[in-house]
């Protein structure tokens, strides 16, 4: 097994490693998405409009679900597969920018997934607005050589064109919804409708041609709707659609409570992670309650909840009062620009401490990555750029932890290093953070947020492989840096075994053993 970022800088992708062969998979011209581009922000305005004038997602989703039911989709929205008791599948999140970071993941994804039965795409299949026109280069082309079905849940970006492209691709070429009645003038719905981004009338003209890239019978996957459950071997995988604003409507909430019942072990896949960046985000359900209430209920037998939306990897093993341990995972590192991990403060949430917490990229690598990015962007390379060793050292100092990577030569943390770390929003210990009531960190992380991708390694991308047996699920986070070494042998950045039976042999999921 190759070195990971926890072993060596070279394992993280630093140094002069040979670039991978992923570019051979890319189209001759690929779109370069920049979230600093005002045109891009304007096209992706629906999330802001929904927060100002009311969120229509629940109503639109209900119409899509009714249409699929009328077309013969199963009422319980359960996909029943014939997988054996021992099988493997992949999870990859937030993929579809169609540029170097997305395609850099593909060789390792294909190599690691050769014997897997299917894959699940967790959130934001297509950037920037989920257009049907983008599926050719951002879904069908990159995954054309993956010889198994791919199921998906939408993210907020897939909703920016009312889910039309997503439903056509994943839900048996669902036709467009008929127009709704015009809203009452001067109402919130009316104001929202005036500014709402909609797909072009001719959107998706080339979709049929794009489908030919993944048209083998063994690649076909038909979903009952934007949310679903998969019964595979001993496991039930439940995918939920959190829409534009990261919530569930009452109809989907009632369905989730229903499919969560029973002794079968379950894993949730969601577009909004329930633990992220050192805090709990339980995901509200319209009418009361949260998704996390359902996941924690011992009668529902969840063992893990995997969320996309945040473009990195994080894992929180939360031990519940009844002795069970739930693995809360963030897995959105499949291709979109990297969200920083160095901004995560010292973890102390729901009994999970730094000793238990895992993330990729490591905080020091994240800080070094962004110091280079903004050194170039601001033309202040000599001031901003931190070495990997300097970044790891200042992270250890600010959080009061030992460097994650093995010990090397002692690195002095200078005033400049501390200043750069502060400007780039590096997290602190909770006791220190409480001393400063001004929202300094929030300002810095907004100002210096990742607003466009970089196009040279290391990219710090990742995906998950889950190996299922009647006794346990082994979850591994596999890295993709864009360098050839990690392409040939994707390093494992994190691994955990999740039991599906209690340690006392009584059946049902239990804590870690």
């Amino acid at each position: 097994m190759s070195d990971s970022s926890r072993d060596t800088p070279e394992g993280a992708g630093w140094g002069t490693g040979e670039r991978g062969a992923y570019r051979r998979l890319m189209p001759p011209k690929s779109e370069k998405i920049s979230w600093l581009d005002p045109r891009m922000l304007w096209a992706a305005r629906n999330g802001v409009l929904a927060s100002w004038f009311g969120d229509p997602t629940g109503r639109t989703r209900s119409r899509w679900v009714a249409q699929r039911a009328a077309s013969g989709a199963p009422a319980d929205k359960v996909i029943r597969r014939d997988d054996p008791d021992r099988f493997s599948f992949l999870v990859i999140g937030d993929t579809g920018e169609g540029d170097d970071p997305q395609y850099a993941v593909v060789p390792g994804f294909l190599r690691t997934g050769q014997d897997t039965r299917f894959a699940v795409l967790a959130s934001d299949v297509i950037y920037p607005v989920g257009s049907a026109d983008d599926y050719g280069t951002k879904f069908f082309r990159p995954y054309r050589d993956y010889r198994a079905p791919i199921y998906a849940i939408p993210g907020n970006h897939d909703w920016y064109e009312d889910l039309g492209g997503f439903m056509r691709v994943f839900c048996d070429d669902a036709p467009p919804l008929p127009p709704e009645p015009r809203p009452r003038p001067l109402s919130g719905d009316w104001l929202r409708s005036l500014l709402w981004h909609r797909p072009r009338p001719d959107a998706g003209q080339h979709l049929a041609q794009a489908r030919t890239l993944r048209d083998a019978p063994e690649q076909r996957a038909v979903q009952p709707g934007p949310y679903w459950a998969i019964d595979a071997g001993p496991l039930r995988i439940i995918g939920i659609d959190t829409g534009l604003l990261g919530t569930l409507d009452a109809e989907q909430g009632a369905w989730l409570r229903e499919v969560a019942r029973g002794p079968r072990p379950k894993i949730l896949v969601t577009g909004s992670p329930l633990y992220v960046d050192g805090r709990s985000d339980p995901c509200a359900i319209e009418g009361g309650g949260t998704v996390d209430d359902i996941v924690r209920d011992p009668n529902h037998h969840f063992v893990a909840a995997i969320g996309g939306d945040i473009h990195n990897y994080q894992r929180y093993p939360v031990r519940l009062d009844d002795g069970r341990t739930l693995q809360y995972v963030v897995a959105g590192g499949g291709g979109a620009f990297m969200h920083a991990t160095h901004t995560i403060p010292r973890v102390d949430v729901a009994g999970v401490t730094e000793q238990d917490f895992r993330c990729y990229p490591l905080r020091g690598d994240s800080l070094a990555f962004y110091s280079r990015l903004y050194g170039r962007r601001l033309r202040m390379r000599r001031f901003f750029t931190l070495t990997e060793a300097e970044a790891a050292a200042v992270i250890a100092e600010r959080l009061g932890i030992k460097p994650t990577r093995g010990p090397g030569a002692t690195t002095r943390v200078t005033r400049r290093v501390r200043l750069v770390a502060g400007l780039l929003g590096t997290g602190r210990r909770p006791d220190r953070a409480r001393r400063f009531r001004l929202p300094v960190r929030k300002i810095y992380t907004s100002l210096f947020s990742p607003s466009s991708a970089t196009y040279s390694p290391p990219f710090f991308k990742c995906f998950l492989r889950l190996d299922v047996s009647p006794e346990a699920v082994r979850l591994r986070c596999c890295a993709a840096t864009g360098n050839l070494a990690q392409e040939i042998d994707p390093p494992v950045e994190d691994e955990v075994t999740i039991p599906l039976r209690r340690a006392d042999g009584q059946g049902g999921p239990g804590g870690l053993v």
Side-chain angles (χ1 to χ4, degrees):
M1 183 182 296
S2 64
D3 285 347
S4 74
S5 70
R6 293 178 172 270
D7 301 315
T8 64
E10 293 74 21
W14 298 115
T16 56
E18 181 181 355
R19 180 175 286 206
Y22 67 87
R23 283 198 163 187
R24 300 173 189 171
L25 307 173
M26 298 177 65
K29 292 184 179 180
S30 60
E31 179 184 9
K32 305 296 187 185
I33 289 180
S34 172
W35 295 104
L36 293 177
D37 186 340
R39 294 170 299 177
M40 199 73 69
L41 295 174
W42 177 244
R45 63 189 178 271
N46 285 0
V48 175
L49 295 175
S51 65
W52 289 352
F53 301 117
D55 184 5
T57 301
R59 185 172 68 244
T60 305
R61 182 190 296 117
S62 182
R63 296 175 69 211
W64 281 121
V65 169
Q67 184 198 78
R68 291 291 293 135
S71 300
D76 60 3
K77 303 171 186 61
V78 177
I79 302 164
R80 293 174 173 86
R81 295 178 48 87
D82 59 355
D83 300 298
D85 284 348
R86 298 178 186 275
F87 73 98
S88 302
F89 69 102
L90 300 172
V91 176
I92 184 168
D94 297 84
T95 53
E97 285 200 354
D99 49 21
D100 289 59
Q102 177 179 8
Y103 278 86
V105 182
V106 174
F109 179 86
L110 296 176
R111 186 177 295 272
T112 304
Q114 288 180 49
D115 61 340
T116 53
R117 304 279 295 195
F118 58 89
V120 175
L121 218 166
S123 178
D124 288 339
V125 182
I126 300 294
Y127 293 94
V129 294
S131 172
D133 294 317
D134 289 334
Y135 271 87
T137 57
K138 300 179 182 182
F139 175 73
F140 289 107
R141 185 184 182 103
Y143 310 118
R144 60 184 173 181
D145 293 325
Y146 180 66
R147 309 305 296 179
I150 299 178
Y151 304 97
I153 56 168
N156 58 309
H157 286 267
D158 301 303
W159 269 100
Y160 289 159
E161 289 195 352
D162 292 333
L163 214 61
F166 181 96
M167 295 298 293
R168 289 182 66 178
V169 170
F170 294 103
C171 298
D172 205 21
D173 206 15
L177 293 173
E180 287 191 288
R182 300 184 70 173
R184 181 170 52 85
L186 302 183
S187 65
D189 286 351
W190 178 77
L191 290 170
R192 184 184 62 237
S193 68
L194 289 179
L195 298 172
W196 199 251
H197 172 81
R198 294 178 176 84
R200 298 193 314 271
D202 61 347
Q205 286 188 57
H206 304 293
L207 195 54
Q209 181 181 354
R211 287 183 191 276
T212 63
L213 297 172
R214 276 186 55 84
D215 63 353
E218 65 270 21
Q219 294 176 310
R220 183 167 172 76
V222 176
Q223 300 178 189
Y227 57 91
W228 40 258
I230 298 173
D231 282 349
L235 193 66
R236 172 168 282 187
I237 305 157
I238 300 176
I240 59 173
D241 169 18
T242 55
L244 282 169
L245 301 182
T247 60
L248 263 62
D249 61 278
E251 179 181 340
Q252 186 179 182
W255 169 85
L256 176 59
R257 292 185 177 94
E258 184 64 31
V259 296
R261 291 175 182 164
R264 191 170 193 156
K266 300 172 185 73
I267 291 177
L268 182 76
V269 181
T270 168
S272 298
L274 303 182
Y275 279 80
V276 62
D277 294 347
R279 70 181 192 277
S280 169
D281 191 3
C283 187
I285 300 174
E286 181 186 17
T290 70
V291 169
D292 201 27
D293 293 338
I294 297 172
V295 169
R296 287 170 172 260
D297 189 325
N299 295 314
H300 295 159
H301 301 285
F302 279 91
V303 297
I306 301 171
D309 189 53
I310 304 301
H311 307 165
N312 53 43
Y313 172 82
Q314 302 173 43
R315 180 169 65 84
Y316 302 81
V318 175
R319 190 167 181 84
L320 304 183
D321 292 340
D322 59 11
R324 293 178 300 136
T325 296
L326 278 171
Q327 299 291 337
Y328 290 91
V329 177
V330 177
F337 64 81
M338 188 193 87
H339 278 136
T341 58
H342 67 266
T343 59
I344 303 172
R346 179 167 172 162
V347 171
D348 185 7
V349 59
V352 179
T353 64
E354 277 293 323
Q355 185 175 356
D356 312 307
F357 172 68
R358 296 291 183 271
C359 69
Y360 176 76
L362 301 178
R363 289 185 179 97
D365 288 331
S366 171
L367 179 57
F369 175 95
Y370 277 104
S371 75
R372 286 161 168 77
L373 174 64
Y374 284 99
R376 292 194 303 269
R377 184 172 293 168
L378 300 176
R379 298 184 180 181
M380 300 174 64
R381 296 190 187 204
R382 293 188 63 183
F383 173 76
F384 262 100
T385 301
L386 305 181
T387 67
E388 306 90 81
E390 287 173 331
V394 74
I395 289 287
E397 178 184 90
R398 287 174 71 97
L399 270 65
I401 60 176
K402 294 181 179 179
T404 305
R405 204 142 50 219
T410 302
T411 302
R412 191 165 69 94
V413 180
T414 65
R415 185 176 299 178
R416 178 188 70 87
V417 171
R418 292 188 182 100
L419 178 58
V420 170
L423 288 172
L424 294 177
T426 304
R428 286 181 172 270
R429 296 195 293 263
D431 57 332
R432 289 192 175 185
R434 281 194 293 270
R435 297 181 196 173
F436 300 95
R437 297 298 180 183
L438 292 175
V440 173
R441 181 170 175 267
K442 183 176 180 181
I443 293 171
Y444 284 145
T445 53
S446 297
L447 178 63
F448 289 98
S449 63
S451 52
S452 64
T454 55
Y455 300 104
S456 59
F459 296 124
F460 297 110
K461 301 290 96 184
C462 61
F463 59 93
L464 307 183
R465 177 180 167 120
L466 293 92
D467 302 306
V468 181
S469 74
E471 297 78 31
V473 174
R474 181 174 66 160
L475 181 152
R476 286 178 286 173
C477 172
C478 303
T481 66
N483 286 333
L484 185 62
Q486 289 79 37
E487 215 173 70
I488 294 172
D489 187 9
V492 175
E493 290 292 336
D494 185 36
E495 180 174 339
V496 63
T497 298
I498 307 169
L500 300 185
R501 298 184 185 276
R502 291 173 59 94
D504 58 13
Q506 295 300 307
L512 288 174
V513 293

